[in-house]
Amino acid sequence: MLKYTGSDVFRSTNRFAPRNGDRDSLGTGSGPSPEELANDLEAMGPTFVKIGQILSSRPDLIPAPYMRALSRLQDRVKPFSFAEVEKIIERELGVRISKAFAEFDAEPLAAASLGQVHRATLRDGRDVVVKVQRPGIREQIGRDFEVIEEIVELLQQHTKLARRYQFEKVLEEFEHTLEHELDYQREAGNLRVIAENLKDFPHIRIPQPIADYTTHAVLTMEYVEGRKITKLTPLARLDLDGAALAEELFKAYLKQVLVDGFFHADPHPGNVYLTDDKEIALLDLGMVGRLAPGMQDKLIRLLLSIADGRSEEAATIAIEISETAERFDETAFRRHIGLLIAEQKGNRLSEIEVGSTVLEVCRSAAESGLFAPTELTMLGKTLLQLDQVGRTLHPTFDPNDAIRRNVSDILQQRVKSQFTSASMYSSALEVKEFLSALPNRLSRIFDSIAAPQLELKIRPRDRHLILQGISHTANRITAGLILAAMIVGAALLMRVPTDFTLWGYPGLAMIFFLLAALGGGILLFNIFTQDAKEKRRAREN
């Protein structure tokens, strides 16, 4: 395997660093082409291959052409020897490979940057696949990340771009993702959890791990007889209910994301198999996403607003769930989202991709000064891959329509999942505590009002807005009182005889009347224009 030193990594990284000052996004300088970047990362070894694959789901960091190039990045590496496979399995399982398995194919089914897969047969006759971690891969990734951390620290200190896009935080996410993918015990747990969550979907299959044959570096699971959906021929599709399979797969993912909060985050066509029983099998569950209940609620609203073409609501939700930078341009962001969803409305159903739209929302957020949460970019990539899988099974599959059809069932499941015995007991205790404390709290409130000792506390970030509103109100009241006094004074002066007259009336009284009328007109104009501005601002928000 090709080895790179720290200086090699820096030179390759420097090739696609921005030129001519900091730009608003990566890849806009005079660096390499997308294919050159993908080739460089592939040549630098498994760590950089995985980073490239993860980068392909970050539209906030790289432009669309680079995303497409990196999404095609494959783990095309030379398999390691069967002697090393034997050594690793015997070390991990504690027995000779001939004792653990009745048969074990020396030739791997597939070889990737982190490990390779072999077909085998257990002593009880079950066909399995054995995923074996590449020897020394943990140490190699550790060394690679030491170099990458130095580069990121240097960029963080000397470039606005790195600080703007939070390179240190992005690197932490990459390390976290790779750490999980290197733990096969964790992947085995993912297989069990997702299989349990999807047990009500009869045509979705998750191969189960064999616990006694699984460790942190060896994963043994059921063998799935089938083929990748990308290998389906037009003739094979004729004998397949692709529309029903695509619908069930999409609904299963909506349940994972919006009900369970735990979903398979890498459903690209290579990880989706069509079994001989015409079921969908999901493979390679090393990369999963997790969503907190609050984030799930917002994502439901975001997906519905995108599916229904409500750009204002989609922009508002995206702002709510994102971190705002000092340079955030809300007007530009809302305009971008409006144009994006308007373009989607103009497309034919077969051209609409929900995942692509979510990723474009993330890209617009980054360009406008918003840091979209990792969960949103991961969801966008998952939905994009799911769109592709759905259309492979059925060319006219419409993901937007699938969301609208299934969202009511998904929401019902979500409500039911929240009404567990534990949550009901917790709510009952909270109500009991509230009712018990209510008389004492009311008594203290009334005592404070009577004393009077009631204080109104204002948060610092809202204080200037409240004080500004009070000031405007006080100014209007004061102006109104002065105008009223001028009118009353003018009326009294009407009865005072004087040689100075205007239009046959006492001149001084008429001057006061005219000034009061002018002041009243100006006051009313200011009131109406200010109210119109506030209404327009409220509609924009």
Side-chain angles (χ1 to χ4, degrees):
M1 182 181 296
L2 183 62
K3 298 292 184 182
Y4 268 58
T5 65
S7 58
D8 294 327
V9 175
F10 182 80
R11 282 195 296 271
S12 182
T13 306
N14 191 51
R15 287 183 61 196
F16 52 88
R19 273 30 173 209
N20 304 322
D22 288 320
R23 304 293 183 91
D24 287 337
S25 61
L26 293 178
T28 55
S30 55
S33 69
E35 291 301 330
E36 287 175 335
L37 174 58
N39 292 338
D40 283 349
L41 292 175
E42 193 171 36
M44 286 191 286
T47 306
F48 298 92
V49 168
K50 299 306 295 186
I51 287 177
Q53 292 171 344
I54 297 170
L55 273 174
S56 69
S57 66
R58 294 302 300 265
D60 52 331
L61 295 178
I62 58 175
Y66 287 83
M67 280 183 58
R68 287 192 291 271
L70 295 180
S71 66
R72 296 193 299 270
L73 196 62
Q74 301 296 322
D75 294 313
R76 293 188 293 267
V77 295
K78 183 180 178 180
F80 52 94
S81 68
F82 182 66
E84 289 178 298
V85 171
E86 281 188 299
K87 183 178 178 181
I88 294 170
I89 290 178
E90 290 175 1
R91 184 188 70 229
E92 292 292 320
L93 301 184
V95 294
R96 292 200 308 272
I97 196 170
S98 59
K99 293 290 184 181
F101 301 95
E103 295 180 11
F104 196 100
D105 290 352
E107 192 70 24
L109 293 173
S113 58
L114 301 185
Q116 63 190 38
V117 177
H118 293 258
R119 186 172 179 179
T121 303
L122 298 179
R123 286 290 175 181
D124 60 9
R126 284 180 292 173
D127 289 330
V128 295
V129 292
V130 183
K131 189 175 179 180
V132 184
Q133 198 168 100
R134 189 170 289 276
I137 189 64
R138 287 178 175 271
E139 292 77 12
Q140 182 180 347
I141 288 177
R143 291 193 298 270
D144 289 339
F145 265 102
E146 286 180 3
V147 176
I148 297 171
E149 285 170 359
E150 292 179 4
I151 295 173
V152 168
E153 185 178 354
L154 182 66
L155 293 174
Q156 198 80 18
Q157 291 175 355
H158 298 286
T159 67
K160 293 179 182 178
L161 184 74
R163 292 190 292 272
R164 178 180 299 167
Y165 287 92
Q166 298 182 317
F167 279 14
E168 288 183 345
K169 185 177 178 180
V170 172
L171 182 61
E172 288 178 7
E173 293 173 4
F174 287 171
E175 288 184 280
H176 183 71
T177 300
L178 274 177
E179 180 184 347
H180 282 195
E181 286 203 61
L182 286 171
D183 188 350
Y184 289 170
Q185 287 277 26
R186 188 184 294 272
E187 183 174 346
N190 297 341
L191 291 167
R192 285 188 286 265
V193 171
I194 291 182
E196 175 65 22
N197 291 343
L198 300 183
K199 63 183 179 182
D200 295 329
F201 294 87
H203 297 100
I204 305 295
R205 181 177 172 186
I206 311 294
Q208 289 301 283
I210 312 299
D212 294 338
Y213 292 78
T214 296
T215 69
H216 292 291
V218 173
L219 172 60
T220 305
M221 57 187 144
E222 299 170 342
Y223 175 73
V224 176
E225 194 74 47
R227 51 187 166 171
K228 296 179 182 180
I229 63 167
T230 53
K231 301 295 184 181
L232 287 178
T233 63
L235 186 61
R237 286 195 183 94
L238 293 177
D239 193 32
L240 183 70
D241 191 353
L245 281 177
E247 178 80 11
E248 186 168 338
L249 181 64
F250 206 87
K251 187 174 181 179
Y253 269 87
L254 288 177
K255 180 182 182 295
Q256 289 181 68
V257 172
L258 304 178
V259 178
D260 305 325
F262 185 80
F263 62 97
H264 179 209
D266 196 22
H268 67 76
N271 286 339
V272 180
Y273 269 55
L274 180 68
T275 69
D276 291 346
D277 298 329
K278 294 184 173 54
E279 296 177 346
I280 295 294
L282 302 178
L283 309 178
D284 194 1
L285 271 68
M287 187 182 297
V288 295
R290 292 173 173 81
L291 296 171
M295 181 64 73
Q296 285 177 289
D297 293 336
K298 289 183 172 61
L299 289 179
I300 291 174
R301 291 167 51 208
L302 179 62
L303 289 178
L304 285 175
S305 60
I306 290 175
D308 291 338
R310 301 193 302 270
S311 60
E312 280 296 321
E313 184 178 347
T316 299
I317 297 168
I319 293 170
E320 286 178 5
I321 63 178
S322 302
E323 181 182 344
T324 306
E326 292 181 2
R327 65 183 183 90
F328 175 49
D329 187 345
E330 183 173 346
T331 303
F333 176 66
R334 289 185 179 276
R335 184 171 61 251
H336 289 163
I337 300 305
L339 292 173
L340 172 65
I341 295 181
E343 290 174 1
Q344 176 177 274
K345 278 185 173 181
N347 290 339
R348 297 193 303 272
L349 291 179
S350 60
E351 298 174 344
I352 295 173
E353 292 184 340
V354 180
S356 177
T357 305
V358 172
L359 290 177
E360 285 299 325
V361 169
C362 296
R363 178 183 297 281
S364 296
E367 291 174 352
S368 305
L370 275 181
F371 296 115
T374 306
E375 296 93 334
L376 186 60
T377 56
M378 186 174 287
L379 174 64
K381 179 192 175 187
T382 301
L383 290 175
L384 178 61
Q385 293 173 333
L386 203 58
D387 293 341
Q388 296 167 351
V389 171
R391 291 198 175 96
T392 301
L393 291 169
H394 191 64
T396 60
F397 176 69
D398 174 18
N400 278 350
D401 195 37
I403 290 176
R404 287 190 289 266
R405 278 196 307 271
N406 294 302
V407 73
S408 60
D409 291 341
I410 295 298
L411 289 176
Q412 288 178 13
Q413 292 179 46
R414 178 158 171 72
V415 171
K416 289 179 181 177
S417 70
Q418 292 175 340
F419 280 98
T420 61
S421 57
S423 65
M424 292 179 68
Y425 284 134
S426 176
S427 299
L429 289 173
E430 289 177 0
V431 171
K432 176 181 177 296
E433 181 182 350
F434 173 76
L435 293 176
S436 300
L438 184 59
N440 185 40
R441 290 174 179 171
L442 288 174
S443 177
R444 279 163 35 196
I445 290 172
F446 290 141
D447 289 343
S448 298
I449 294 173
Q453 297 175 346
L454 187 65
E455 296 180 358
L456 178 64
K457 293 185 178 180
I458 302 172
R459 289 180 297 177
R461 66 176 185 177
D462 296 336
R463 181 177 58 191
H464 72 284
L465 296 175
I466 295 175
L467 292 177
Q468 188 178 25
I470 293 173
S471 176
H472 284 320
T473 303
N475 290 341
R476 289 180 180 180
I477 293 173
T478 302
L481 289 173
I482 292 172
L483 293 174
M486 291 175 66
I487 292 171
V488 172
L492 293 174
L493 286 173
M494 282 289 186
R495 305 181 64 180
V496 178
T498 177
D499 294 334
F500 174 56
T501 60
L502 287 173
W503 302 297
Y505 295 99
L508 192 57
M510 287 303 297
I511 289 174
F512 276 109
F513 268 126
L514 292 173
L515 289 175
L518 179 62
I522 293 173
L523 179 60
L524 289 174
F525 177 77
N526 286 336
I527 290 172
F528 288 138
T529 55
Q530 185 67 29
D531 289 347
K533 288 180 181 178
E534 290 177 358
K535 288 180 181 179
R536 185 164 57 252
R537 191 179 299 116
R539 285 196 300 270
E540 290 174 353
N541 293 332

